[in-house]
Coordinates of all heavy atoms in Angstrom, one line a residue:
Chain A
A27 N -47.1 -3.9 -13.9 CA -47.2 -2.8 -13.0 C -46.4 -1.6 -13.6 O -46.4 -0.6 -12.9 CB -46.6 -3.2 -11.7
L28 N -45.9 -1.7 -14.7 CA -45.1 -0.6 -15.3 C -46.0 -0.1 -16.5 O -46.4 -0.9 -17.4 CB -43.8 -0.9 -15.8 CG -42.7 -1.4 -14.8 CD1 -41.4 -1.8 -15.4 CD2 -42.5 -0.2 -13.8
Q32 N -43.9 4.9 -18.3 CA -42.7 4.5 -17.5 C -41.7 3.8 -18.2 O -40.4 4.1 -18.1 CB -43.1 3.7 -16.2 CG -43.8 4.4 -15.1 CD -44.3 3.5 -14.0 OE1 -45.0 2.6 -14.2 NE2 -43.8 3.7 -12.8
M36 N -37.8 4.9 -18.8 CA -36.8 4.0 -18.4 C -35.8 3.6 -19.5 O -34.6 3.5 -19.3 CB -37.4 2.8 -17.6 CG -38.0 3.2 -16.3 SD -39.0 2.0 -15.4 CE -37.8 0.8 -15.0
I39 N -33.6 6.5 -20.0 CA -32.6 6.6 -18.8 C -31.5 5.6 -19.0 O -30.3 5.9 -18.9 CB -33.3 6.4 -17.5 CG1 -34.2 7.6 -17.1 CG2 -32.3 6.1 -16.4 CD1 -35.1 7.4 -15.9
V270 N -35.6 16.2 -4.9 CA -36.1 16.5 -6.2 C -37.6 16.3 -6.0 O -38.1 15.2 -5.9 CB -35.6 15.5 -7.3 CG1 -36.2 15.9 -8.6 CG2 -34.1 15.6 -7.4
G272 N -41.5 15.8 -5.8 CA -42.4 15.2 -6.6 C -43.5 16.1 -7.1 O -43.9 17.1 -6.5
T274 N -47.0 15.3 -7.8 CA -48.3 15.1 -7.3 C -48.3 14.6 -5.9 O -49.3 14.8 -5.1 CB -49.2 14.2 -8.2 OG1 -48.5 13.0 -8.3 CG2 -49.3 14.8 -9.6
K275 N -47.2 13.9 -5.5 CA -47.2 13.4 -4.1 C -45.8 13.8 -3.5 O -45.0 13.0 -3.1 CB -47.3 11.9 -4.1 CG -48.5 11.3 -4.7 CD -48.4 9.8 -4.9 CE -49.6 9.2 -5.6 NZ -49.4 7.8 -6.0
E278 N -44.4 12.2 -0.3 CA -44.0 10.7 -0.2 C -42.5 10.7 -0.7 O -42.2 11.2 -1.8 CB -44.9 9.9 -1.1 CG -46.3 9.8 -0.6 CD -47.1 8.8 -1.3 OE1 -46.6 8.0 -2.1 OE2 -48.4 8.8 -1.1
Y279 N -41.6 10.2 0.1 CA -40.2 10.2 -0.1 C -39.6 8.9 -0.5 O -39.7 7.9 0.2 CB -39.5 10.7 1.1 CG -40.1 12.0 1.7 CD1 -40.7 12.0 2.9 CD2 -40.0 13.1 0.9 CE1 -41.2 13.2 3.4 CE2 -40.6 14.3 1.4 CZ -41.2 14.3 2.6 OH -41.7 15.5 3.1
V280 N -39.0 8.8 -1.7 CA -38.1 7.7 -2.1 C -36.7 8.2 -1.7 O -36.3 9.2 -2.2 CB -38.3 7.4 -3.5 CG1 -37.2 6.3 -4.0 CG2 -39.7 6.9 -3.8
T281 N -36.0 7.4 -0.9 CA -34.7 7.8 -0.5 C -33.6 7.0 -1.1 O -33.7 5.8 -1.2 CB -34.6 7.8 1.1 OG1 -34.8 6.4 1.5 CG2 -35.6 8.6 1.8
L282 N -32.6 7.7 -1.4 CA -31.3 7.1 -1.8 C -30.2 7.6 -0.8 O -30.1 8.7 -0.6 CB -30.9 7.4 -3.2 CG -31.8 7.0 -4.5 CD1 -31.1 7.4 -5.7 CD2 -31.9 5.4 -4.4
I312 N -33.0 12.5 -12.5 CA -34.5 12.6 -12.3 C -34.9 14.0 -12.4 O -35.9 14.4 -12.9 CB -34.8 11.9 -10.9 CG1 -34.5 10.5 -10.8 CG2 -36.3 12.2 -10.6 CD1 -35.1 9.6 -11.8
L315 N -35.5 15.2 -15.9 CA -36.6 14.7 -16.8 C -37.5 15.7 -17.2 O -37.9 16.6 -16.4 CB -37.3 13.5 -16.0 CG -36.6 12.3 -15.7 CD1 -37.4 11.4 -14.8 CD2 -36.3 11.6 -17.0
R318 N -41.7 15.7 -14.1 CA -41.2 15.3 -12.8 C -42.1 14.1 -12.3 O -43.3 14.2 -12.4 CB -41.4 16.5 -11.8 CG -40.9 16.5 -10.5 CD -39.4 16.2 -10.4 NE -38.5 17.2 -11.0 CZ -38.1 18.3 -10.2 NH1 -38.5 18.5 -9.0 NH2 -37.2 19.1 -10.8
P319 N -41.5 13.1 -11.7 CA -42.4 12.0 -11.1 C -43.2 12.4 -10.0 O -43.0 13.5 -9.4 CB -41.3 10.9 -10.7 CG -40.1 11.3 -11.3 CD -40.1 12.8 -11.6
A320 N -44.2 11.6 -9.7 CA -45.2 12.0 -8.7 C -44.6 12.2 -7.2 O -44.8 13.2 -6.6 CB -46.3 10.9 -8.5
R321 N -43.7 11.3 -6.9 CA -43.1 11.3 -5.5 C -41.8 12.1 -5.5 O -41.1 12.2 -6.5 CB -42.8 9.9 -5.0 CG -44.1 9.1 -4.7 CD -43.8 7.6 -4.6 NE -45.0 6.9 -4.0 CZ -45.1 5.6 -4.1 NH1 -44.2 4.8 -4.7 NH2 -46.2 5.0 -3.5
T322 N -41.4 12.5 -4.3 CA -40.2 13.2 -4.1 C -39.0 12.1 -4.1 O -39.1 11.2 -3.3 CB -40.2 14.0 -2.8 OG1 -41.1 15.1 -3.0 CG2 -38.8 14.6 -2.5
L323 N -37.9 12.4 -4.8 CA -36.7 11.6 -4.6 C -35.8 12.5 -3.6 O -35.5 13.6 -3.8 CB -35.9 11.5 -5.9 CG -34.6 10.8 -5.8 CD1 -34.8 9.4 -5.3 CD2 -33.8 10.9 -7.1
R324 N -35.5 11.7 -2.6 CA -34.6 12.4 -1.5 C -33.2 11.7 -1.5 O -33.2 10.5 -1.3 CB -35.3 12.3 -0.2 CG -34.4 12.8 1.0 CD -35.1 13.1 2.2 NE -36.1 14.2 2.1 CZ -36.9 14.5 3.0 NH1 -37.0 13.9 4.2 NH2 -37.8 15.5 2.8
Q351 N -44.0 8.5 5.7 CA -44.0 9.0 4.3 C -42.8 8.6 3.5 O -42.6 9.0 2.4 CB -44.2 10.5 4.3 CG -45.6 10.9 4.8 CD -45.6 12.3 5.4 OE1 -46.0 12.6 6.5 NE2 -45.1 13.3 4.6
H352 N -41.9 7.9 4.2 CA -40.7 7.4 3.5 C -41.2 6.0 2.9 O -41.2 5.0 3.6 CB -39.6 7.2 4.5 CG -38.9 8.4 5.0 ND1 -39.6 9.4 5.6 CD2 -37.7 9.0 4.7 CE1 -38.8 10.4 5.9 NE2 -37.7 10.2 5.3
V353 N -41.4 6.1 1.6 CA -42.1 4.9 0.9 C -41.1 3.8 0.4 O -41.6 2.7 0.2 CB -43.0 5.5 -0.2 CG1 -44.0 6.4 0.4 CG2 -42.2 6.1 -1.3
M354 N -39.9 4.2 0.3 CA -38.9 3.3 -0.3 C -37.5 3.8 -0.1 O -37.3 5.0 -0.2 CB -39.2 3.0 -1.8 CG -38.2 2.2 -2.5 SD -37.8 0.6 -1.8 CE -39.2 -0.4 -2.5
G355 N -36.5 2.9 0.1 CA -35.2 3.4 0.1 C -34.1 2.4 -0.4 O -34.4 1.2 -0.3
A356 N -33.0 2.9 -0.8 CA -31.8 2.0 -1.1 C -30.6 2.8 -0.8 O -30.5 4.0 -0.9 CB -31.9 1.7 -2.6
M368 N -30.6 -8.2 -6.6 CA -31.3 -7.2 -5.8 C -32.3 -8.0 -4.9 O -32.9 -9.0 -5.3 CB -32.1 -6.2 -6.6 CG -33.2 -6.8 -7.6 SD -34.2 -5.5 -8.4 CE -35.5 -5.2 -7.2
V372 N -40.4 -5.6 1.1 CA -41.7 -4.8 0.9 C -42.8 -5.7 1.3 O -42.7 -6.9 1.6 CB -41.8 -4.4 -0.7 CG1 -40.7 -3.5 -1.1 CG2 -41.9 -5.7 -1.5
A376 N -46.9 -5.4 -2.9 CA -46.0 -4.6 -3.6 C -44.9 -5.5 -4.4 O -44.2 -5.0 -5.2 CB -45.2 -3.7 -2.6
A379 N -44.9 -5.2 -8.2 CA -44.3 -4.1 -8.8 C -42.7 -4.4 -8.8 O -42.1 -4.1 -9.8 CB -44.6 -2.8 -8.1
I380 N -42.3 -4.9 -7.7 CA -40.8 -5.1 -7.6 C -40.4 -6.1 -8.6 O -39.4 -6.0 -9.3 CB -40.4 -5.7 -6.2 CG1 -40.7 -4.6 -5.2 CG2 -39.0 -6.2 -6.1 CD1 -39.7 -3.4 -5.2
F383 N -40.1 -4.5 -11.9 CA -38.9 -3.7 -12.0 C -37.7 -4.6 -12.2 O -36.8 -4.4 -13.1 CB -38.7 -2.8 -10.8 CG -37.4 -2.1 -10.8 CD1 -37.1 -1.0 -11.7 CD2 -36.3 -2.4 -9.9 CE1 -35.9 -0.4 -11.7 CE2 -35.1 -1.8 -9.9 CZ -34.9 -0.8 -10.8
Q414 N -39.3 1.9 6.9 CA -39.2 2.2 5.5 C -39.0 0.9 4.7 O -38.0 0.2 5.0 CB -38.1 3.2 5.3 CG -37.8 3.6 3.8 CD -36.7 4.5 3.6 OE1 -36.8 5.7 3.4 NE2 -35.5 4.0 3.5
P415 N -39.7 0.7 3.7 CA -39.5 -0.5 2.7 C -38.1 -0.2 2.1 O -37.6 0.9 2.0 CB -40.6 -0.4 1.8 CG -41.7 0.3 2.4 CD -41.0 1.4 3.3
A416 N -37.5 -1.3 1.6 CA -36.1 -1.1 1.1 C -36.0 -2.1 -0.1 O -36.6 -3.1 -0.2 CB -35.1 -1.4 2.1
V417 N -35.0 -1.7 -1.0 CA -34.4 -2.7 -1.9 C -32.9 -2.7 -1.7 O -32.3 -1.6 -1.5 CB -34.7 -2.3 -3.4 CG1 -33.8 -3.1 -4.3 CG2 -36.2 -2.6 -3.7
F419 N -29.4 -3.6 -3.2 CA -28.7 -4.0 -4.4 C -27.3 -4.6 -4.0 O -26.6 -4.0 -3.2 CB -28.5 -2.8 -5.3 CG -29.8 -2.3 -6.0 CD1 -30.5 -1.3 -5.4 CD2 -30.3 -2.9 -7.1 CE1 -31.6 -0.8 -6.0 CE2 -31.5 -2.5 -7.6 CZ -32.2 -1.4 -7.0
I451 N -28.7 1.8 -13.1 CA -29.6 1.0 -12.3 C -30.3 1.7 -11.1 O -31.5 1.7 -10.9 CB -28.9 -0.3 -11.7 CG1 -28.6 -1.2 -12.9 CG2 -29.8 -1.0 -10.7 CD1 -27.8 -2.4 -12.6
Y452 N -29.5 2.6 -10.4 CA -30.0 3.3 -9.4 C -30.9 4.4 -9.9 O -31.9 4.8 -9.2 CB -28.8 3.9 -8.5 CG -28.5 3.1 -7.3 CD1 -28.1 1.7 -7.5 CD2 -28.6 3.5 -6.0 CE1 -27.8 0.9 -6.5 CE2 -28.3 2.6 -4.9 CZ -27.9 1.4 -5.2 OH -27.7 0.5 -4.1
T453 N -30.6 5.0 -11.0 CA -31.5 6.0 -11.6 C -32.8 5.4 -12.1 O -33.9 6.0 -11.8 CB -30.8 6.7 -12.8 OG1 -29.5 7.1 -12.4 CG2 -31.6 7.9 -13.3
L454 N -32.7 4.2 -12.6 CA -34.0 3.5 -13.0 C -34.8 3.2 -11.8 O -36.0 3.3 -11.8 CB -33.6 2.2 -13.7 CG -33.0 2.4 -15.1 CD1 -32.3 1.1 -15.6 CD2 -34.0 2.8 -16.1
F455 N -34.1 2.7 -10.7 CA -34.8 2.4 -9.5 C -35.5 3.7 -9.0 O -36.7 3.6 -8.5 CB -33.9 1.8 -8.4 CG -34.5 1.6 -7.1 CD1 -35.4 0.6 -6.9 CD2 -34.1 2.4 -6.1 CE1 -35.9 0.5 -5.6 CE2 -34.6 2.3 -4.8 CZ -35.5 1.3 -4.6
A456 N -34.7 4.8 -8.9 CA -35.3 6.1 -8.4 C -36.5 6.5 -9.2 O -37.5 6.8 -8.7 CB -34.2 7.1 -8.5
Y457 N -36.4 6.3 -10.5 CA -37.6 6.7 -11.3 C -38.7 5.7 -11.1 O -39.9 6.2 -11.0 CB -37.2 6.7 -12.8 CG -38.4 7.0 -13.7 CD1 -38.9 8.3 -13.7 CD2 -39.1 6.0 -14.4 CE1 -40.1 8.6 -14.4 CE2 -40.3 6.3 -15.1 CZ -40.7 7.6 -15.1 OH -41.9 7.9 -15.8
F458 N -38.4 4.4 -11.1 CA -39.5 3.4 -10.9 C -40.3 3.7 -9.6 O -41.5 3.8 -9.6 CB -38.8 2.0 -10.9 CG -39.6 1.0 -10.1 CD1 -40.8 0.5 -10.6 CD2 -39.2 0.6 -8.8 CE1 -41.6 -0.4 -9.9 CE2 -40.0 -0.3 -8.1 CZ -41.2 -0.8 -8.6
A459 N -39.5 4.0 -8.5 CA -40.2 4.1 -7.2 C -40.9 5.4 -7.1 O -41.9 5.5 -6.5 CB -39.1 3.9 -6.1
T460 N -40.3 6.5 -7.7 CA -41.0 7.8 -7.6 C -42.2 7.9 -8.5 O -43.1 8.7 -8.2 CB -40.0 9.0 -7.9 OG1 -39.4 8.8 -9.1 CG2 -39.0 9.2 -6.8
S461 N -42.2 7.2 -9.6 CA -43.2 7.3 -10.6 C -44.3 6.2 -10.3 O -45.3 6.1 -11.0 CB -42.7 7.2 -12.0 OG -42.2 5.9 -12.2
S462 N -44.1 5.4 -9.3 CA -45.0 4.2 -9.1 C -46.2 4.6 -8.2 O -46.1 5.5 -7.4 CB -44.2 3.1 -8.3 OG -45.0 2.1 -8.0
D463 N -47.3 3.9 -8.4 CA -48.5 4.0 -7.6 C -48.4 3.1 -6.4 O -49.3 3.2 -5.5 CB -49.7 3.7 -8.4 CG -50.0 4.8 -9.4 OD1 -49.7 6.0 -9.2 OD2 -50.6 4.4 -10.5
T464 N -47.5 2.2 -6.4 CA -47.5 1.1 -5.5 C -47.2 1.6 -4.0 O -46.2 2.5 -3.8 CB -46.4 0.1 -5.8 OG1 -46.8 -0.4 -7.1 CG2 -46.4 -1.1 -4.9
D465 N -47.9 1.1 -3.1 CA -47.6 1.3 -1.7 C -46.7 0.2 -1.3 O -47.2 -1.0 -1.1 CB -48.8 1.3 -0.8 CG -48.5 1.6 0.7 OD1 -47.4 1.4 1.1 OD2 -49.5 1.9 1.5
F466 N -45.4 0.5 -1.1 CA -44.4 -0.6 -0.9 C -44.5 -1.3 0.5 O -43.9 -2.3 0.7 CB -43.0 -0.1 -1.2 CG -42.8 0.2 -2.6 CD1 -42.7 1.5 -3.0 CD2 -42.7 -0.8 -3.5 CE1 -42.4 1.9 -4.4 CE2 -42.5 -0.5 -4.9 CZ -42.3 0.8 -5.3

Side-chain angles (χ1 to χ4, degrees):
Chain A
L28 293 177
Q32 279 177 305
M36 287 168 72
I39 288 173
V270 179
T274 57
K275 301 170 186 169
E278 293 189 12
Y279 308 114
V280 171
T281 60
L282 293 181
I312 299 299
L315 288 173
R318 192 58 66 87
R321 290 166 167 161
T322 292
L323 176 65
R324 174 166 295 178
Q351 291 155 236
H352 287 65
V353 300
M354 170 55 84
M368 60 174 274
V372 298
I380 294 291
F383 174 70
Q414 178 183 263
V417 167
F419 291 96
I451 290 170
Y452 268 59
T453 308
L454 290 166
F455 172 72
Y457 178 74
F458 156 72
T460 52
S461 66
S462 174
D463 289 331
T464 302
D465 180 345
F466 293 107

